[in-house]
Amino acid sequence: MSGTNLSGTAQLLPRYAWPVFLVGAILLLALGNPTVYGVGVPLAALVLALVMPMSRPRWTGHPDWRDVGAVATLYVGVVALFWLAFRVFTQGNTLGLFLCFAVSMLLGVLGPLAYTTWIRRRALAELGIGRANLRQAVALGLILAAVQFAITLWGYPLPRPVDWVPLAALAITVGFFEAVFFRGFIQARLEASFGPIAGVAGAAALYAAYHVGYGMDAQEMLFLFGLGVVYAVAYCVVRNLIVLWPLLLPLGSFYNNLRGSSIQMPWEAILGFADVLGVMVAAIWFAARRERRRLAGAPRGRESTRKRRHLRHRGDAGKRFG
C-alpha cells in the first residue's frame, strides 16, 4: 500500500510542482530586480528539473542537424530584420521600420510553418497548434495571466486610448509571433534534438538575445532570459501555445510598452498589425486545411491503390483464362 502511495505521489508531483514554480516565478516579478530574476529563476528551474522525474530523457544524443540548421537560419534572419527596423530605420523612418518589423514577424511564423508542415511534413501539433492538452493549457494560461495582471496592470493608470490601444494591438501581434517562433518552433526543435533541459535553456537564451534588435542592454537581456525560462517551462508543461497567447505574452509586452512609454503610434498602426496577424492566422488555417486533406486522403489513396491492383489482377486473370 505504501509503495502504491509513493508511486501515486511521484506521478502527481510533476503535475503540480511546475505550475507552482511558474506562479512563484511570476510573483517574483514584483521584486523588480532584473539580475536576481535572470539568475535565480533559471537556477531554480534547473534544480527542479534535475530532481523531478521526467517522461523524456534529459539528453537525447541524436540531434537532427536539419532542424538545427533551420532554427539557426530563421533566427539570424529574424534578428537581422529586427536590428534593421529598430537600430537603422528607427522611428525617424516609420515606413521602413514597420516594413522590416512586419517582415521579421512574418518570417518568424511563416518560416517555421512552411518548414514544419511542407518541408518536414509534420503536424501542426509539432508547433503547439491544435487541441492537444487544450483544457490544461487554458486553465494554466488563465492562472498565470491573472497573477501577472494582478502584479503589473491592476490599478495601473492608463493614458489616453490613442496612446495605449495601438500598443495593445502591437502586443497581441508580437506575442503571437514570439509564441510560435520561440516556443512552438525553436524550443520544440531544440528539445527534440538535445533534450528538454537544453531545449528550455537554449530557447530562453535565444529569446533574450534576440532583443538586441530592440537595442536592449545586457542587464535587460539577463532579465529576459529568466522570463524566457518561465515561458519555456509553461509551454513545456502543456505543449500548447494557448498557455502563452492570447493572454500571458501580450500582457507582459503591453505592460513593458506602457511603462517604457517610448513607442508612439497612430491609430492607423492598428490596421497594420491586424494585417500582419491576419496573414499569420490565414497561413495556419491553410496549413491546417492541407493537413486535414492529407490525413483524410491517405486511407482513400491506399484503398484506391488496392482497388487498382485488384482490377489489374482480374484483368490478367481474364487474359490467362480467356
Side-chain angles (χ1 to χ4, degrees):
M1 183 68 178
S2 60
T4 304
N5 290 337
L6 289 174
S7 176
T9 303
Q11 292 176 359
L12 291 175
L13 189 59
R15 180 182 299 179
Y16 295 105
W18 286 114
V20 169
F21 162 80
L22 291 169
V23 171
I26 291 179
L27 286 173
L28 283 176
L29 289 171
L31 293 178
N33 191 316
T35 303
V36 171
Y37 199 87
V39 175
V41 169
L43 282 178
L46 177 61
V47 171
L48 191 58
L50 292 176
V51 301
M52 193 69 59
M54 289 187 174
S55 59
R56 292 169 294 159
R58 291 188 171 92
W59 173 260
T60 62
H62 300 285
D64 187 329
W65 295 113
R66 193 176 176 187
D67 281 357
V68 174
V71 166
T73 300
L74 290 173
Y75 182 80
V76 170
V78 166
V79 173
L81 286 166
F82 266 87
W83 176 274
L84 188 62
F86 291 97
R87 306 294 288 173
V88 177
F89 287 113
T90 70
Q91 294 192 47
N93 187 334
T94 306
L95 179 60
L97 184 151
F98 180 78
L99 289 177
C100 283
F101 189 35
V103 172
S104 64
M105 289 190 290
L106 289 173
L107 178 63
V109 173
L110 303 188
L113 194 64
Y115 175 78
T116 301
T117 62
W118 272 270
I119 297 177
R120 299 305 299 266
R121 298 182 66 82
R122 293 168 176 157
L124 277 173
E126 293 285 330
L127 290 170
I129 300 170
R131 298 183 178 181
N133 302 320
L134 185 59
R135 291 183 179 180
Q136 298 93 320
V138 170
L140 183 59
L142 286 172
I143 292 171
L144 298 180
V147 174
Q148 181 171 265
F149 179 82
I151 64 174
T152 56
L153 287 168
W154 180 265
Y156 191 92
L158 292 176
R160 298 175 305 163
V162 69
D163 293 326
W164 70 263
V165 175
L167 292 181
L170 167 66
I172 291 171
T173 307
V174 172
F176 188 78
F177 148 73
E178 290 183 348
V180 174
F181 188 58
F182 287 101
R183 308 303 155 215
F185 180 58
I186 290 180
Q187 180 179 338
R189 293 304 95 218
L190 293 182
E191 284 190 44
S193 288
F194 304 109
I197 295 178
V200 166
L206 291 175
Y207 169 74
Y210 113 95
H211 286 83
V212 71
Y214 290 103
M216 294 187 178
D217 58 28
Q219 188 180 46
E220 290 174 310
M221 286 191 284
L222 179 61
F223 165 75
L224 287 168
F225 173 65
L227 193 60
V229 169
V230 175
Y231 294 150
V233 169
Y235 176 70
C236 198
V237 169
V238 293
R239 297 286 160 187
N240 194 308
L241 295 181
I242 293 296
V243 72
L244 299 172
W245 190 90
L247 292 178
L248 187 61
L249 278 173
L251 280 174
S253 177
F254 179 58
Y255 174 70
N256 288 330
N257 291 334
L258 277 178
R259 190 178 58 176
S261 66
S262 60
I263 302 177
Q264 296 181 351
M265 295 179 295
W267 286 105
E268 293 79 7
I270 299 174
L271 296 177
F273 294 124
D275 288 341
V276 172
L277 185 61
V279 171
M280 295 175 180
V281 173
I284 291 174
W285 182 82
F286 279 112
R289 182 183 178 187
R290 182 175 181 270
E291 182 178 314
R292 288 194 299 268
R293 287 182 173 179
R294 185 174 69 244
L295 293 176
R300 288 199 296 268
R302 289 194 294 267
E303 184 179 352
S304 298
T305 301
R306 288 195 297 268
K307 285 182 179 180
R308 287 195 298 269
R309 289 177 179 174
H310 178 65
L311 291 174
R312 187 166 57 248
H313 175 74
R314 288 182 59 187
D316 292 341
K319 290 179 181 178
R320 287 195 300 270
F321 291 100

